[in-house]
Amino acid sequence: MCNLLFLNVLSALYHLAGGCATANLGPQFGETDGVPAGAVYFEENPPAFVFTNRPGRDTMIANHNLLTKERMSAMAFYYSEPSHTFSEYLLVPGYTSPECVPANVSLRTPLVKYRRGQEECPLNLSIPMVSAIMQSVSNDTLAVALAREGGLSFIYGSQSIESEAAMVARVKNYKAGFVTSDSNLRPDQKLQDVLNLKARNGHSTVAITDDGTGTGKLLGIVTSRDYRVSRMDPGTPIREFMTPLERLVTAPEGTTLKEANDIIWDHKLNSLPIVSAEGNMRYFVFRKDYEEHKSNPGELLDGRKRYMVGAGINTRDYAQRVPALVEAGADVLCIDSSEGYSCWQEQTLAYIRERYGDTVKVGAGNVVDRDGFLFLARAGADFVKVGIGGGSICITRETKGIGRGQATALIEVAAARDEYFRDTGVYIPICSDGGIVHDYHMTLALAMGADFLMLGRYFARFDESPTNRVRVNGQYMKEYWGEGSNRARNWQRYDLGGGTSLAFEEGVDSYVTYAGPLKDNVAKSLYKVKSTMCNCGVTTIPDLQANARLTLVSATSIVEGGYHDVVLKTHGTSAQHG
């Protein structure tokens, strides 16, 4: 591979120089400081391009009499090292002190830019996880579940402005305790309708209103205690088994959350309907919300004790979408694009800064090198996403030939972030987006400089993601598709100022293995992260970034790291003794 690259470079330079011969050079050309083997560099005296093919004996390429600055600028730039993925690295353990136990590890991390050392970051995450801006990942249901654990979801933007804003509003209303009812039926509907509705959205409390909407005149409610499927005809009208309004404890509109919780506790209720003066349904307040807050001390809340949520925007309709999302209560926005080093993102950031100043927080990306990061930092991004083509459903590298190994991209951008901080005093967090296959990759990404991680496939596997759970060859799976697939057709994400349709696919439609509830899986993954940090002798993410020691591993070493030279026991395997 290296020889082939060398021959291609040599051939190009041969033609550039007018067909001159090459010459092997002595040590004077092989002792250039800072030039790694395999690189092409320009030697000033005598002027020549040199290929460092072996120490002390480099190859001069091109006739120096024909080399000019113009000809030099016509050459492509070649990186001397291949780009690497997370699987090619391991962490080397450090000293573990008595204080280095998982219970003492803090995963708190900044979400947006701030003057580190001079002020507190205005928005922090309790855990370094955000969900990807994807139809098959981030809706309001997953946003609530993730915020409960201390992370943040970015509601997908490849939908109408109205529907995205409505999802944001539902998340903000949810933790406020006043939940708009999304399970509503009329009294003339049947038990089977209740069962169907519960199967569809998982909610057991149904508001019965005169028009079957969440704002109609409240007539009663139905919970799982009001019916027994085994003893009732599915065709039984709801009015015959619902708890009617006259037997309900309700509260008037304007009741505070504390007052509502007091009523719930005093009357031993599971839910409290809030109704208007005209008797119309407004909200539910649930006992479980209060209990969940007590059992989730790290949940991500805003100043009004509401769950925090992000939202995706694009570089086309931002002038209409951004105001609607801000009005709906979005805590932070993110430009959703496959490649962020563009005038389109610069224009979008300029609009937001001109209209809102620094009051609206917005991330940008994606980039894979120093130049891309510095461009977005200077354009006004509050955080920068890193990664092109590394997602499990992304085929950008295959279709367009652009991208970079995620580990290499992250390492370079992290260095650029630290450089920008030294120069300006402003710390801009970076988000590693893509390339996470195993849980230990999360720790590697954090050690390489990521402040938090954007995950798609990981969250798509859970109950709370918006896709269907299906059986494939006897195994439960969840549907998962890329924004660049024909199914999503999110052309705005891949827009380069051209038409208004997806010209070709940059993503696939697929399945991922169903994994159950988000809470259990996130807890398990983060315990692994905390355990590894303790092995490295650190208890915070900044300490991990400052003190981690990483090593590249060979292909043989990767094989050695898994199980080998054994026969695994499987279900149904039988062994005979003797």
Side-chain angles (χ1 to χ4, degrees), residues 176-423:
F178 297 98
V179 182
T180 301
S181 178
D182 61 358
S183 293
N184 312 287
L185 293 170
R186 300 185 312 275
D188 59 322
Q189 291 182 269
K190 314 299 183 186
L191 172 60
Q192 186 62 56
D193 294 311
V194 174
L195 301 177
N196 293 342
L197 188 59
K198 183 179 180 181
R200 188 162 64 246
N201 61 25
H203 299 162
S204 59
T205 301
V206 181
I208 309 304
T209 62
D210 60 345
D211 60 1
T213 71
T215 57
K217 189 173 292 292
L218 182 65
L219 302 176
I221 64 171
V222 169
T223 70
S224 55
R225 294 181 301 180
D226 291 314
Y227 58 86
R228 294 187 66 177
V229 177
S230 61
R231 296 188 179 185
M232 292 176 62
D233 183 346
T236 305
I238 290 174
R239 65 167 56 91
E240 294 183 12
F241 60 88
M242 72 179 187
T243 301
L245 178 62
E246 56 269 21
R247 289 171 51 198
L248 292 176
V249 176
T250 64
E253 192 171 16
T255 301
T256 67
L257 185 58
K258 182 182 184 307
E259 291 170 341
N261 282 321
D262 287 343
I263 294 171
I264 287 173
W265 283 98
D266 291 344
H267 293 83
K268 298 181 173 61
L269 306 174
N270 288 322
S271 63
L272 176 68
I274 306 296
V275 297
S276 70
E278 295 76 26
N280 287 9
M281 183 69 189
R282 286 292 180 258
Y283 308 102
F284 273 119
V285 177
F286 293 99
R287 173 192 291 264
K288 64 180 178 63
D289 288 344
Y290 179 84
E291 295 172 343
E292 285 171 355
H293 172 62
K294 296 301 182 184
S295 63
N296 292 281
E299 60 187 355
L300 201 62
L301 305 177
D302 65 14
R304 296 169 57 189
K305 304 299 183 184
R306 302 177 301 176
Y307 282 136
M308 290 177 59
V309 62
I313 61 174
N314 61 65
T315 58
R316 278 299 187 100
D317 64 7
Y318 55 85
Q320 296 78 41
R321 191 174 291 268
V322 170
L325 296 173
V326 171
E327 177 67 23
D331 296 282
V332 60
L333 307 176
C334 184
I335 303 174
D336 183 27
S337 174
S338 64
E339 200 275 303
Y341 192 0
S342 73
C343 62
W344 316 115
Q345 294 219 6
E346 185 178 39
Q347 292 171 5
T348 305
L349 291 167
Y351 165 83
I352 293 173
R353 293 293 167 245
E354 181 179 348
R355 176 160 179 170
Y356 298 100
D358 290 328
T359 61
V360 170
K361 306 302 181 183
V362 56
N366 288 23
V367 299
V368 293
D369 65 358
R370 173 182 181 272
D371 291 346
F373 171 84
L374 293 178
F375 171 80
L376 292 176
R378 291 162 183 158
D382 285 294
F383 66 85
V384 174
K385 288 202 300 164
V386 182
I388 294 177
S392 60
I393 42 69
C394 182
I395 56 173
T396 293
R397 295 181 192 175
E398 294 180 25
T399 57
K400 297 175 71 173
I402 64 170
R404 200 176 191 188
Q406 187 67 12
T408 299
L410 185 56
I411 291 167
E412 180 171 325
V413 172
R417 174 204 55 203
D418 295 343
E419 173 192 343
Y420 186 83
F421 171 64
R422 289 192 299 269
D423 291 344

Side-chain angles (χ1 to χ4, degrees), residues 107 109 125-130 446 451-454 526 541:
L107 296 178
T109 190
L125 298 169
S126 299
I127 61 174
M129 288 180 162
V130 300
L446 296 171
D451 294 283
F452 56 97
L453 319 170
M454 179 168 278
L526 292 183
I541 292 173

